[in-house]
Amino acid sequence: MNIKIIICLIFSVFLSISTYANIGGSDLQNFNPTPSGTGFITVHDTQILNYGQFNFGSFLTYATNSLPYSTLSANPNNQKFSEPNDRILQSNLHVAIGLLQGWDIGVSAGFTNSQDIDRSNFLFNYGDTGINDVLIRSKVRIYKDRSFALAIVGGVDFDQIKNNPFLGDNAGPAAQLEGVLDFYLTPDIHMAINGGYRLRNEGTPIPNTGVTPMPDQWVYSSAISYTTDDNGSAAIFEIYGSYPIEVFSLPTDRQISNLETLVGYKWAGLNNLDIHGGFGTEAYHGLGSPDIRIYLGFNWKLGNNENKAPDTIIPEQSSENIQDNDGDLVPNPIDQCPNTPSNLDVDERGCHANDLPQKEPTTPTSSLDEDGDGVSDNNDRCLNTSPGARVNHYGCEIDPYDQDL
């Protein structure tokens, strides 16, 4: 069986065990892979899915000590790194499509698949397994040159959790807008910086929780990757977090902001299929930040692999309208030897061997490489390539932002 199909089936089994969720806390799933699956994991870059290209992906993440304790507990500090109190298996399923050149849109959903809690008293925990939220994200690239590129990412988050004190009762969807800057430090080192604002439509406080619904937040993240082979496999480091614009009531040992780091690897050894794996930990003891996070997932791109819209179909001309004055069966528009006698064999250009100009014998030259790009001057079509630039086999510089996804 095709390995891509096997991977999809495995993740579908994990997702199929999910039912409807109920929770006593929210903002506990900080790990949200990008729907388009370009570049990094949770951090956006400016690469866009090609016109008509799909990305389908899914991730599993296992986290320890990510649920916050309430300070109303007699012993709120029951979470130890060496002795995890709570262990949660969560997943993400996403799909995206390239709509136009420089614009794609995607949808993702987060799930809680299982939780294992030793001591649940005064712990904000999930009441059941199931779907947590549905996110819609759209990315538009607004500028690109050989030095850097800029994009805007906008989206809406529809929370699917009941009894959520962090959002409040009857809360509405949250909207988010981020700016994206990315650039290449070297042909193999890619870096991105995201920053934006999350507008939260919080509801009324839920009684007996002691929690005031969270206000709007600043969101920020950054990532850097190092490409390890010609297929695009890369080592990835990410850091991401958020900070509320104002202080709110939170009876827990956790900070009101959060910051988390990831280290992982993307293997691109299969055609259009990227396999991700790695681990992370909290950089700041905030909501949803675990002691340990382990993740595994994939992104699979289908459809148009060329960064352009499909060519316009031109109707074929009737053979009776195609002229061939010399009768050599090569039409006039492409006949480079229009007066060839019809009884002679010709090549695809309409020329007989006797019609071709004879080349003067040449003396072999040495394989010089004036610009030092590794392609000899005899075969180099771009003789003045910048020192250290990444080139193709013609000796011409490659634009890192125009690589096939």
Side-chain angles (χ1 to χ4, degrees), residues 60-105:
L60 286 173
T61 175
Y62 174 81
T64 64
N65 287 344
S66 62
L67 299 176
Y69 264 94
S70 170
T71 54
L72 301 177
S73 170
N75 183 19
N77 299 313
N78 287 327
Q79 294 168 313
K80 297 180 180 179
F81 186 91
S82 59
E83 299 178 7
N85 179 65
D86 54 270
R87 295 160 290 276
I88 296 181
L89 180 66
Q90 294 178 315
S91 59
N92 174 278
L93 180 67
H94 55 260
V95 62
I97 182 175
L99 297 179
L100 297 173
Q101 186 171 355
W103 178 29
D104 61 31
I105 188 169

Side-chain angles (χ1 to χ4, degrees), residues 254-336:
R254 303 275 176 153
Q255 303 297 323
I256 60 176
S257 60
N258 63 70
L259 193 65
E260 189 172 335
T261 61
L262 289 178
V263 177
Y265 189 76
K266 176 182 72 174
W267 181 62
L270 298 175
N271 186 31
N272 298 326
L273 179 64
D274 297 336
I275 306 295
H276 291 265
F279 63 93
T281 187
E282 62 179 14
Y284 202 68
H285 193 55
L287 287 177
S289 299
D291 285 348
I292 291 292
R293 183 186 300 282
I294 301 173
Y295 71 90
L296 177 66
F298 74 92
N299 282 301
W300 182 16
K301 294 178 177 62
L302 306 170
N304 180 23
N305 290 321
E306 298 294 331
N307 193 19
K308 62 180 181 180
D311 295 331
T312 301
I313 298 176
I314 301 175
E316 294 184 2
Q317 294 181 334
S318 172
S319 58
E320 62 184 21
N321 296 327
I322 300 177
Q323 295 183 348
D324 178 19
N325 291 343
D326 56 6
D328 60 359
L329 301 181
V330 178
N332 289 348
I334 61 173
D335 198 335
Q336 298 181 23

Side-chain angles (χ1 to χ4, degrees), residues 48-167:
I48 305 292
L49 292 176
N50 299 329
Y51 174 87
Q53 185 180 37
F54 285 88
N55 179 66
F56 172 73
S58 186
F59 280 74
L60 286 173
T61 175
Y62 174 81
T64 64
N65 287 344
S66 62
L67 299 176
Y69 264 94
S70 170
T71 54
L72 301 177
S73 170
N75 183 19
N77 299 313
N78 287 327
Q79 294 168 313
K80 297 180 180 179
F81 186 91
S82 59
E83 299 178 7
N85 179 65
D86 54 270
R87 295 160 290 276
I88 296 181
L89 180 66
Q90 294 178 315
S91 59
N92 174 278
L93 180 67
H94 55 260
V95 62
I97 182 175
L99 297 179
L100 297 173
Q101 186 171 355
W103 178 29
D104 61 31
I105 188 169
V107 179
S108 65
F111 299 84
T112 295
N113 299 92
S114 67
Q115 61 178 348
D116 180 14
I117 301 174
D118 293 340
R119 295 176 297 276
S120 60
N121 291 340
F122 298 98
L123 180 69
F124 292 102
N125 63 289
Y126 293 90
D128 200 353
T129 57
I131 186 169
N132 298 336
D133 55 7
V134 176
L135 298 89
I136 300 175
R137 292 285 184 268
S138 183
K139 180 167 60 174
V140 178
R141 187 168 58 206
I142 58 177
Y143 179 78
K144 179 189 74 171
D145 66 14
R146 291 185 178 273
S147 302
F148 68 96
L150 298 172
I152 295 176
V153 178
V156 181
D157 182 1
F158 299 91
D159 187 77
Q160 302 297 309
I161 301 169
K162 296 180 179 179
N163 303 325
N164 186 343
F166 293 91
L167 287 178

Side-chain angles (χ1 to χ4, degrees), residues 164-352:
N164 186 343
F166 293 91
L167 287 178
D169 194 21
N170 297 318
Q176 186 163 313
L177 185 66
E178 293 182 82
V180 180
L181 164 68
D182 74 343
F183 47 90
Y184 282 81
L185 300 175
T186 72
D188 294 322
I189 300 179
H190 184 200
M191 187 171 184
I193 300 172
N194 299 181
Y197 191 82
R198 180 182 296 159
L199 181 65
R200 303 176 67 98
N201 190 5
E202 65 265 25
T204 58
I206 295 178
N208 303 320
T209 63
V211 178
T212 301
M214 293 180 66
D216 296 352
Q217 296 169 295
W218 297 106
V219 293
Y220 38 82
S221 59
S222 183
I224 188 169
S225 67
Y226 177 75
T227 303
T228 59
D229 61 31
D230 293 337
N231 295 323
S233 300
I236 299 174
F237 172 80
E238 292 189 352
I239 185 167
Y240 51 88
S242 64
Y243 192 86
I245 63 171
E246 60 187 43
V247 177
F248 64 102
S249 175
L250 185 66
T252 175
D253 60 325
R254 303 275 176 153
Q255 303 297 323
I256 60 176
S257 60
N258 63 70
L259 193 65
E260 189 172 335
T261 61
L262 289 178
V263 177
Y265 189 76
K266 176 182 72 174
W267 181 62
L270 298 175
N271 186 31
N272 298 326
L273 179 64
D274 297 336
I275 306 295
H276 291 265
F279 63 93
T281 187
E282 62 179 14
Y284 202 68
H285 193 55
L287 287 177
S289 299
D291 285 348
I292 291 292
R293 183 186 300 282
I294 301 173
Y295 71 90
L296 177 66
F298 74 92
N299 282 301
W300 182 16
K301 294 178 177 62
L302 306 170
N304 180 23
N305 290 321
E306 298 294 331
N307 193 19
K308 62 180 181 180
D311 295 331
T312 301
I313 298 176
I314 301 175
E316 294 184 2
Q317 294 181 334
S318 172
S319 58
E320 62 184 21
N321 296 327
I322 300 177
Q323 295 183 348
D324 178 19
N325 291 343
D326 56 6
D328 60 359
L329 301 181
V330 178
N332 289 348
I334 61 173
D335 198 335
Q336 298 181 23
C337 301
N339 298 314
T340 304
S342 60
N343 61 335
L344 296 179
D345 293 331
V346 297
D347 59 17
E348 66 274 4
R349 296 170 298 174
C351 296
H352 182 63

